[in-house]
Amino acid sequence: MNDLTNARSPAVTTASPLSPEAPVRAQVADLSFWYGKFQALHGVSMPIEDRRVTAIIGPSGCGKSTLLRCFNRIHDLYAGVRYEGAINLMPDGLNLVSRTVDPILVRLMVGMVFQKPNPFPKSIYENVASGLYVRGIRTKSEVEGRVEKALKQAAIWDEVKDRLKSPAYELSGGQQQRLCIARALAPEPKLLLLDEPTSALDPIATAKIESLIDDLAKDVTIVIVTHNMGQAARISDQTAFMHLGNLVEFGETEQIFTNPKADQTRDYVTGRYG
Amino acid sequence: MSGEADLEHAATMRLVRAKRVQDLVFGVIGILVLIVVMGLLVTLVADLLIDGVGRISPEFLTSFPSRRAAGAGVLSAWIGTTLVMLVTAAIAVPLGVGAGLYLEEYAAKNILTDAIEINVSNLAGVPSIIYGLLALGFFVYGLNLGQTVLVGGMVLALLILPIVIVATREALRAVPSGLRESAYGIGANRWQVMWSYILPSARPGILTGAIVGLSRAIGETAPIITIGALTYIAFLPPAPVSATPPWINFDWLNSPFTVMPIQMFNWISRPQAAFHVNAAATGVLLLGMTLLMNGFAIYLRYRLRRLVRT
């Protein structure tokens, strides 16, 4: 086994010094995370650049979903979890994982889409509007406008515009997932988290979601966890490779996939990982 | 930071605070409601305990009822209750679980099963004295079984059957459909799917339903009085186990009996205060028996859950 696996070694970070046109949206700084006594993240540090797509890859159990779920404090729903370090949301530098920061505030700012499509058992329209309702936005014209905008952003408007009142469960799996993306987008989050959003979908639905992520990156900062290395290579600008709770390497996606610095990253992205 | 961003930030913080206040308000209301409910319960139990707990002694448990309050005990009542509950459980659980399984897994979904379902649910709401009348007419006089432990157990079993059936169906419905599909997927027939996969997953829920039913049955008085159980029993049913072959006998099923709630009812309706103390003590014991039964069920459920998870 490689000596990188257990040691708490600093990640190889080869990202170029950040240029002014790519400001940082969030800075993960020495973040550690525990499920009870089990430490799932070991001092992860990486920047999340504004309006770009950051992919987190790695083998099962490497902590990539755990890291993603720190960004909106979904871990707080379960007892016995503990954070150390920081995820600073720019420009204010608000530490998302600080105990003094209300998780509700964090979730109002950070949207999330889960692995399996999980629409609410309500109409398509109400699903997208739900994020607005919990924010106290109830003016009919405003809600309608933002629902339409979000559905368009999620590239599903043309398929549902004539049946906004029908139940979300009538949609196909791929459509449901795009609906969930629209639901996350409607409140205009500062950060959009995608946790393996296509792992339950067929290739055609996956292709649609990938192209919509590409378009979204113009307006929204996206962090995506994926099992599919081809997907990370296709849609992300930066890639983080994780293993056993450590960030092994972080850099421009092209560099990670064509010229990785760490042997482990090379083995993983070339499919030789054992 | 621009003024507009400041404004937006302030609005967000106001929103978060409003959300927290709302959570707090509902939290406080919840605690108040809980205090009222728990307060009532605690008062009730405490009243019973203050009146009765001093009267409980080994002699109280091992004496038959008597005309003298100080010498009276609940021996025949607690043994009667135990035996009747045994009969009730032995009848209601297999019948109820079987009916629930059939309705949920085997029966075709049509108007007939819908009608049966509605009727089963309604049966749970029929007053218990109606069951008593049914048992009096059918078991006691129709079948000429007399006022025995068997009849007492049967009427209580009838009473709780709907509860067990409904709980069984709910528990079966809560089994994830993936489990059913994967079991059928390996080529199992209905019986194998049910016996090896569905039933083990549903067992904790079924058990809970059975115990809820039995807890109701243990306190029932009306149907037992209706079938004519005696209030004064100064002897015990024949022992179920004997020293001579065939070692086990079922004569106790045909023995007259009394149960704890009836003993309590009997004592509370006497004018002397000393008997009222006896009644309170009987109530404490009945509570204890119910608690024991529920405790056993919680233990079983905990063990079964662990088995299912692994």
Side-chain angles (χ1 to χ4, degrees):
Chain A
M1 227 197 215
N2 199 311
D3 62 350
L4 270 168
T5 50
N6 292 317
R8 188 180 156 168
S9 53
V12 183
T13 302
T14 45
S16 48
L18 299 162
S19 47
E21 58 267 62
V24 172
R25 170 46 84 184
Q27 178 72 47
V28 183
D30 201 19
L31 179 72
S32 295
F33 178 80
W34 285 261
Y35 291 109
K37 287 203 172 102
F38 173 71
Q39 186 171 7
L41 294 177
H42 299 265
V44 174
S45 297
M46 62 191 267
I48 306 293
E49 291 188 6
D50 192 31
R51 270 168 281 183
R52 303 191 73 180
V53 180
T54 304
I56 307 173
I57 61 171
S60 293
C62 69
K64 53 190 190 301
S65 280
T66 303
L67 173 60
L68 190 78
R69 290 159 71 92
C70 289
F71 279 87
N72 76 340
R73 302 271 294 273
I74 275 293
H75 290 305
D76 290 30
L77 297 180
Y78 307 97
V81 300
R82 187 159 64 86
Y83 307 87
E84 235 170 57
I87 299 177
N88 294 312
L89 190 69
M90 302 303 169
D92 318 347
L94 178 76
N95 181 4
L96 297 181
V97 299
S98 160
R99 208 172 295 194
T100 55
V101 171
D102 195 320
I104 290 179
L105 173 67
V106 174
R107 293 175 202 138
L108 287 176
M109 297 189 297
V110 182
M112 181 156 187
V113 175
F114 297 84
Q115 204 166 340
K116 281 198 186 132
N118 53 0
F120 297 130
K122 297 184 173 201
S123 73
I124 292 168
Y125 179 89
E126 283 173 308
N127 260 280
V128 183
S130 52
L132 305 171
Y133 291 155
V134 300
R135 284 163 178 79
I137 301 168
R138 293 187 175 273
T139 324
K140 197 164 182 243
S141 56
E142 187 181 358
V143 173
E144 275 175 357
R146 290 175 75 163
V147 166
E148 179 175 341
K149 185 183 168 206
L151 286 169
K152 280 178 175 157
Q153 277 182 304
I156 191 179
W157 173 250
D158 290 332
E159 290 155 65
V160 301
K161 64 183 175 201
D162 301 322
R163 47 174 176 147
L164 290 174
K165 299 291 174 207
S166 29
Y169 281 126
E170 287 178 4
L171 299 174
S172 70
Q175 288 173 323
Q176 285 186 11
Q177 193 62 303
R178 277 179 285 149
L179 180 70
C180 291
I181 293 176
R183 185 174 69 191
L185 286 172
E188 297 175 353
K190 298 188 188 308
L191 207 59
L192 179 64
L193 312 174
L194 306 172
D195 189 0
E196 300 186 32
T198 61
S199 65
L201 303 180
D202 66 76
I204 294 168
T206 301
K208 279 187 187 158
I209 292 201
E210 285 186 9
S211 90
L212 103 85
I213 291 173
D214 228 32
D215 292 339
L216 275 180
K218 288 198 276 293
D219 307 309
V220 188
T221 307
I222 294 174
V223 186
I224 179 170
V225 161
T226 176
H227 247 103
N228 178 337
M229 279 180 287
Q231 182 170 72
R234 281 192 297 274
I235 61 173
S236 70
D237 301 300
Q238 270 87 35
T239 297
F241 171 65
M242 294 188 64
H243 187 240
L244 294 175
N246 292 290
L247 177 64
V248 176
E249 186 164 355
F250 175 81
E252 294 292 321
T253 297
E254 200 182 324
Q255 175 261 315
I256 293 279
F257 280 91
T258 56
N259 187 24
K261 295 288 181 283
D263 293 344
Q264 244 181 336
T265 316
R266 176 173 301 119
D267 287 350
Y268 187 74
V269 297
T270 54
R272 266 197 305 239
Y273 203 84
Chain B
M1 207 160 45
S2 71
E4 199 181 317
D6 265 345
L7 219 65
E8 194 195 312
H9 181 71
T12 311
M13 292 318 285
R14 259 203 313 280
L15 183 64
V16 171
R17 221 169 303 127
K19 279 168 176 286
R20 280 297 166 197
V21 168
Q22 193 179 42
D23 269 351
L24 194 70
V25 167
F26 278 102
V28 169
I29 292 176
I31 287 176
L32 288 178
V33 171
L34 190 69
I35 288 174
V36 170
V37 174
M38 290 307 291
L40 282 172
L41 195 68
V42 168
T43 316
L44 213 68
V45 174
D47 185 49
L48 206 59
L49 281 176
I50 291 166
D51 287 349
V53 84
R55 181 70 183 83
I56 296 171
S57 63
E59 290 77 47
F60 189 64
L61 285 171
T62 52
S63 306
F64 289 108
S66 156
R67 269 176 304 163
R68 291 172 299 107
V74 288
L75 179 64
S76 48
W78 75 258
I79 287 186
T81 286
T82 309
L83 293 179
V84 168
M85 292 314 290
L86 273 179
V87 175
T88 302
I91 295 172
V93 173
L95 280 188
V97 172
L101 271 175
Y102 177 79
L103 284 172
E104 200 55 37
E105 300 284 331
Y106 277 82
K109 301 276 173 275
N110 54 31
I111 298 178
L112 185 66
T113 44
D114 283 350
I116 291 175
E117 180 175 0
I118 292 170
N119 276 302
V120 167
S121 309
N122 279 347
L123 278 180
V126 171
S128 56
I129 196 155
I130 305 285
Y131 285 95
L133 289 174
L134 167 79
L136 181 69
F138 184 58
F139 297 144
V140 178
Y141 294 132
L143 300 180
N144 224 355
L145 292 174
Q147 292 101 355
T148 61
V149 171
L150 179 66
V151 171
M154 286 199 299
V155 61
L156 291 182
L158 281 185
L159 182 71
I160 66 169
L161 254 182
I163 300 174
V164 179
I165 294 174
V166 169
T168 301
R169 299 192 64 181
E170 292 299 328
L172 291 173
R173 253 177 247 170
V175 174
S177 62
L179 181 63
R180 203 169 270 118
E181 285 172 13
S182 52
Y184 278 117
I186 60 167
N189 65 12
R190 275 184 191 172
W191 170 251
Q192 290 165 325
V193 170
M194 260 168 31
W195 186 250
S196 308
Y197 304 100
I198 307 286
L199 211 48
S201 284
R203 217 152 37 188
I206 294 174
L207 193 70
T208 306
I211 291 298
V212 168
L214 290 176
S215 302
R216 171 156 179 216
I218 202 173
E220 275 297 339
T221 324
I224 302 280
I225 290 185
T226 314
I227 62 167
L230 302 176
T231 51
Y232 180 81
I233 296 271
F235 57 89
L236 289 181
V241 191
S242 60
T244 54
W247 293 293
I248 298 175
N249 76 73
F250 288 98
D251 288 347
W252 55 274
L253 285 173
N254 294 319
S255 167
F257 69 103
T258 189
V259 291
M260 301 283 278
I262 291 187
Q263 188 63 70
M264 216 175 144
F265 174 72
N266 174 260
W267 278 336
I268 207 89
S269 50
R270 303 229 187 155
Q272 299 95 322
F275 278 114
H276 298 169
V277 173
N278 282 359
T282 313
V284 172
L285 288 174
L286 189 56
L287 267 183
M289 289 175 84
T290 313
L291 215 62
L292 209 69
M293 203 160 69
N294 284 339
F296 181 62
I298 289 168
Y299 166 75
L300 265 186
R301 198 162 56 207
Y302 169 74
R303 288 210 35 184
L304 290 177
R305 285 241 165 94
R306 245 185 3 190
L307 286 179
V308 171
R309 288 244 172 92
T310 48

